[in-house]
Amino acid sequence: MAMARFFTQFSLLLSSILVVLLPLTFSASDSEALLKLKKSLTNAGALDSWVPGSSPCNGPQGAWRGLVCQGSAVTGLRLEGMGLSGTIDVDALVGMPGLSTFSVENNSFTGVIPGINRLGALKVLSLSRNQFSGDIPSGYFVKMGSLKKVRLSYNKFTGEIPVSLARLPNLVGLHLQNNHFSGRIPSFDSPSLNSLNVSNNRLAGEIPSSLSKFSASSFVGNPDLCGEQVGFQCPSTPNNTSKNIIAALMVTLGAILFLMIIFFAIQWRTKKQEINLEVVQVQPCGSSNDAVEVPISMVAETEERTKSACSESDSNISNDGKPSVAELVMVNDEKGVFGLTDLMKASAEVLGNGPLGSSYRVRMANGVTVVVKRIRKMNALGSDAFDAEVKNLGTLRHPNILTPLAYHYRKEEKLIVYEYLSKGSLLYHLQGEGRESDGELDWPTRVKIVRGIAAGLEYLHGEFASRGVPHGNLKSSNVLLGPDYNPFLSDYGFYPLLDNGGLEGLFAYKTPEAMQKRTVSPKSDVYCLGIIILEMLTVQDGNGGTDIGRWVASAFSEGRQAELLDTKIKGCRNSVGSMEKLLRVGVLCTETSPEKRLGIKEAIKMIEDIHEFQIL
Ligand SMILES: *[C@@H]1O[C@H](CO)[C@@H](O)[C@H](O)[C@H]1NC(C)=O
Ligand SMILES: *[C@@H]1O[C@H](CO)[C@@H](O)[C@H](O)[C@H]1NC(C)=O
């Protein structure tokens, strides 16, 4: 009996200890987080009450300045009008899950918008009356579905109003006035939006009908806006009949275009088949090997040439009378030394035709199988500079880089020879054409491939840091898989070799910046990396285009990203979290504007930081 009473008392005691301890432990972690935040701020004199060893919500003089508390839990930060600047340590705040309000209104913060979007539970966000500037990424608010009030007014934000902001389902109030936002006002989804101010920006175009309930005072100071509210009719849209005529015209034009495309496609196909046929017909030219050209170089040339190549030795002399470098120059002898003769004795098989040219598989007598790339429009450099450039490529050594073995240079013909990897390209596997014994790429293998690609790319960015674009042609068909699915990057470093026509064939020239402004940069490689990441994660089978970037971005801005993941990938059932993180990296890498896109270092760090990857 006494024993039982003892136990009851003991457990009572225990629970009262717990009751006392619990709030303390909570506030201890809040206090740590807040002190860490304070450290990242400059000019934080206003936060003198924030001192270690006191409880943020129940200090000797009450709560610390600027905190909103509920009981002993911090639910809001209202650091307003305190003259603060510096960086906001969002990392510290991530450890405060109870935080629902974050305001640094009326301070002196500068720079691009901080990563407050990592605080997914926020209901109120205010950065008003600071000196924040720069564009806000269009997907910035995607993971902030709880937001009700957003105030960014009186800053220097530029670019379009982020579309993810317009998709927030619970938005009640939005203040964007007195910034430099431009472009059109997106249509807002939230039915509860009842306070809106976009005055004094550089917005243009028609005010969306979803905002018709707001009056002129929400829109003033945007001279290029039109609509009833601002008393300025939008330029009259064509009436129905002219609309119909236009529509009919468009349909006709479309049909004509379609027929033309079909016509050219057929032409092209026929031509391609001819080329293939020729390859099959090409035979090694017998024993007088020294004087003849590579059989591959005869492909698609006239029959006359083919004949003369086999019978005459003067085909070795180029037009200017000098003997051309009609030989194979080894740049890397790790796979043995071979010459044109060895290539010629073997039979060539077409692997494919790409925008830069064609590639052939040649199995040589010495047991080495190589890929010979016959590259068009590689005419930017004379033979000496070409030699130096490709020899430099031949010195590259990295576990994820396929180093060229040899080249052949003539004025009218450039070949680059690589080792052939029997697993083929990543594209081939993503299209589900891996050998039956290999099956589909499982999730751990995909992770290994992504990490390897990132590592190889990082290496190239170190080696070719000063180039316009270090790799320049990163796409899944140029990632080759070794026997253990280790990825190898190939077809990199062509940027200085190609003439203007040739550059168009690089995948980096399919990026938005190249399409719009004809510029590329190291960030173009990041975009290409992003495309590969998206291809590896989504249900789409990679067909080497950049459309996937737009497709995923739009899904992201509509909050549909979870639907994109191909969770049927073998071995991924417990890895949806890491898939989502990687998807996010893919999206940030394929950001349309290079300024907003991740840099190579950031991208690689984000990939490496995906915790689950480190265990795989
Ligand atoms: C901004 O903060 C300062 C103090 O730093 C205060 O005097 C001023 O009234 C505040 N302005 C607004 C608009 O709140
Ligand atoms: C919007 O902001 C402008 C500029 O600060 C102000 O003049 C206007 O009254 C505000 N309108 C509303 C509806 O808040």
Side-chain angles (χ1 to χ4, degrees):
M1 203 62 195
M3 198 69 166
R5 224 177 42 233
F6 170 73
F7 269 116
T8 334
Q9 279 177 355
F10 180 74
S11 61
L12 265 176
L13 182 71
L14 204 67
S15 54
S16 58
I17 288 177
L18 281 179
V19 166
V20 173
L21 274 182
L22 265 177
L24 278 184
T25 42
F26 271 131
S27 56
S29 73
D30 279 355
S31 114
E32 252 166 50
L34 291 167
L35 290 169
K36 192 154 173 268
L37 169 71
K38 180 181 172 184
K39 222 183 227 168
S40 70
L41 303 175
T42 47
N43 211 6
L47 304 181
D48 280 346
S49 59
W50 295 27
V51 286
S54 78
S55 157
C57 289
N58 315 300
Q61 278 101 40
W64 293 0
R65 191 169 164 205
L67 300 193
V68 181
C69 290
Q70 240 168 44
S72 55
V74 182
T75 57
L77 284 180
R78 307 191 68 119
L79 311 178
E80 297 172 354
M82 296 179 169
L84 302 172
S85 54
T87 48
I88 295 170
D89 187 347
V90 182
D91 276 340
L93 301 178
V94 169
M96 299 178 62
L99 207 58
S100 68
T101 298
F102 181 86
S103 168
V104 290
E105 212 162 304
N106 190 15
N107 283 288
S108 305
F109 290 104
T110 57
V112 296
I113 191 165
I116 310 289
N117 57 345
R118 293 171 56 204
L119 310 179
L122 284 189
K123 294 189 174 137
V124 178
L125 169 65
S126 176
L127 305 177
S128 286
R129 295 181 193 272
N130 280 281
Q131 305 289 320
F132 288 114
S133 57
D135 294 10
I136 302 175
S138 59
Y140 184 88
F141 295 94
V142 162
K143 293 211 165 144
M144 306 190 81
S146 308
L147 275 178
K148 293 186 162 174
K149 294 185 184 170
V150 177
R151 292 194 291 269
L152 307 177
S153 45
Y154 296 91
N155 279 288
K156 294 175 181 163
F157 287 117
T158 52
E160 298 199 353
I161 296 176
V163 64
S164 53
L165 191 50
R167 296 290 93 85
L168 289 174
N170 301 309
L171 197 63
V172 175
L174 177 64
H175 291 186
L176 302 179
Q177 68 267 32
N178 299 70
N179 277 288
H180 307 316
F181 286 112
S182 55
R184 298 174 71 95
I185 303 178
S187 180
F188 281 78
D189 291 350
S190 168
S192 29
L193 186 65
N194 62 25
S195 167
L196 174 81
N197 201 335
V198 296
S199 296
N200 303 326
N201 279 288
R202 296 165 186 169
L203 298 163
E206 188 167 9
I207 296 170
S209 55
S210 61
L211 302 179
S212 55
K213 63 177 168 193
F214 297 103
S215 70
S217 129
S218 296
F219 302 99
V220 292
N222 291 287
D224 296 331
L225 272 186
C226 62
E228 251 171 59
Q229 292 98 321
V230 288
F232 178 64
Q233 269 329 107
C234 293
S236 66
T237 44
N239 66 32
N240 273 346
T241 24
S242 55
K243 254 190 200 157
N244 287 346
I245 292 173
I246 290 173
L249 267 175
M250 301 269 274
V251 168
T252 321
L253 271 176
I256 292 175
L257 207 69
F258 180 71
L259 286 176
M260 281 170 71
I261 288 171
I262 298 243
F263 176 76
F264 283 116
I266 289 172
Q267 292 265 310
W268 181 73
R269 257 192 91 95
T270 331
K271 213 163 135 198
K272 204 166 104 181
Q273 273 158 5
E274 274 165 20
I275 293 176
N276 291 356
L277 282 177
E278 274 181 279
V279 176
V280 174
Q281 283 160 8
V282 168
Q283 294 296 321
C285 298
S287 53
S288 60
N289 286 332
D290 291 344
V292 298
E293 296 175 330
V294 202
I296 290 154
S297 71
M298 293 185 273
V299 177
E301 313 241 330
T302 61
E303 243 198 286
E304 204 177 34
R305 271 196 76 91
T306 316
K307 270 195 229 126
S308 78
C310 286
S311 54
E312 291 161 29
S313 57
D314 63 0
S315 63
N316 236 6
I317 312 288
S318 68
N319 291 345
D320 51 11
K322 280 192 291 176
S324 60
V325 200
E327 56 186 280
L328 207 56
V329 180
M330 295 300 301
V331 297
N332 164 16
D333 55 13
E334 286 188 342
K335 298 289 160 205
V337 174
F338 50 92
L340 272 191
T341 348
D342 301 291
L343 283 184
M344 279 177 26
K345 277 183 194 156
S347 58
E349 180 192 330
V350 183
L351 285 178
N353 297 293
L356 287 183
S358 324
S359 40
Y360 308 87
R361 176 169 61 188
V362 182
R363 210 184 301 269
M364 294 185 296
N366 67 0
V368 177
T369 305
V370 294
V371 175
V372 179
K373 302 238 169 187
R374 179 172 188 240
I375 299 173
R376 289 188 291 264
K377 300 185 179 159
M378 219 178 216
N379 305 316
L381 301 180
S383 70
D384 290 346
F386 187 95
D387 179 69
E389 196 61 52
V390 183
K391 278 190 174 148
N392 182 31
L393 295 182
T395 64
L396 299 179
R397 295 291 182 275
H398 185 276
N400 300 108
I401 292 294
L402 193 63
T403 306
L405 302 175
Y407 77 84
H408 169 80
Y409 178 101
R410 274 180 309 132
K411 206 164 171 191
E412 64 279 24
E413 181 80 278
K414 279 95 194 162
L415 307 175
I416 297 189
V417 182
Y418 292 93
E419 182 193 356
Y420 173 77
L421 300 182
S422 63
K423 286 248 188 282
S425 73
L426 175 59
L427 174 64
Y428 174 78
H429 286 269
L430 288 179
Q431 287 176 337
E433 289 170 27
R435 309 267 156 75
E436 307 87 67
S437 57
D438 297 341
E440 193 200 40
L441 296 175
D442 63 17
W443 176 240
T445 307
R446 288 179 197 233
V447 169
K448 173 179 181 167
I449 293 172
V450 168
R451 296 179 73 180
I453 294 173
L457 195 57
E458 182 177 36
Y459 171 75
L460 290 178
H461 276 239
E463 291 293 313
F464 299 140
S466 58
R467 297 248 171 119
V469 55
H471 187 307
N473 207 15
L474 181 61
K475 53 181 175 179
S476 50
S477 59
N478 286 339
V479 174
L480 301 160
L481 300 179
D484 53 355
Y485 292 97
N486 200 34
F488 288 85
L489 307 187
S490 137
D491 289 44
Y492 50 82
F494 290 171
Y495 182 73
L497 303 172
L498 294 164
D499 52 46
N500 284 339
L503 289 177
E504 303 292 315
L506 289 178
F507 199 55
Y509 278 75
K510 303 282 179 287
T511 54
E513 60 272 29
M515 303 301 270
Q516 285 160 18
K517 301 188 198 132
R518 318 257 19 98
T519 59
V520 290
S521 73
K523 285 217 175 162
S524 308
D525 277 344
V526 176
Y527 187 91
C528 301
L529 172 67
I531 296 287
I532 292 191
I533 291 177
L534 300 181
E535 287 175 345
M536 303 272 286
L537 286 170
T538 54
V539 198
Q540 273 237 334
D541 45 31
N543 34 32
T546 52
D547 288 343
I548 189 175
R550 283 193 288 277
W551 173 65
V552 171
S554 74
F556 237 85
S557 67
E558 289 157 19
R560 293 188 289 109
Q561 63 273 25
E563 295 168 22
L564 302 175
L565 290 174
D566 183 4
T567 47
K568 286 195 288 298
I569 297 169
K570 228 194 283 168
C572 80
R573 234 169 309 137
N574 302 320
S575 311
V576 175
S578 53
M579 290 182 91
E580 279 181 6
K581 286 180 197 158
L582 187 59
L583 183 66
R584 176 117 199 96
V585 180
V587 169
L588 295 173
C589 286
T590 50
E591 181 65 60
T592 307
S593 138
E595 292 79 47
K596 288 190 259 170
R597 194 177 303 156
L598 292 183
I600 185 76
K601 290 227 149 59
E602 296 167 281
I604 286 160
K605 178 148 194 324
M606 282 184 79
I607 292 171
E608 290 303 320
D609 280 354
I610 298 179
H611 175 63
E612 293 85 342
F613 282 18
Q614 288 150 12
I615 336 172
L616 281 171

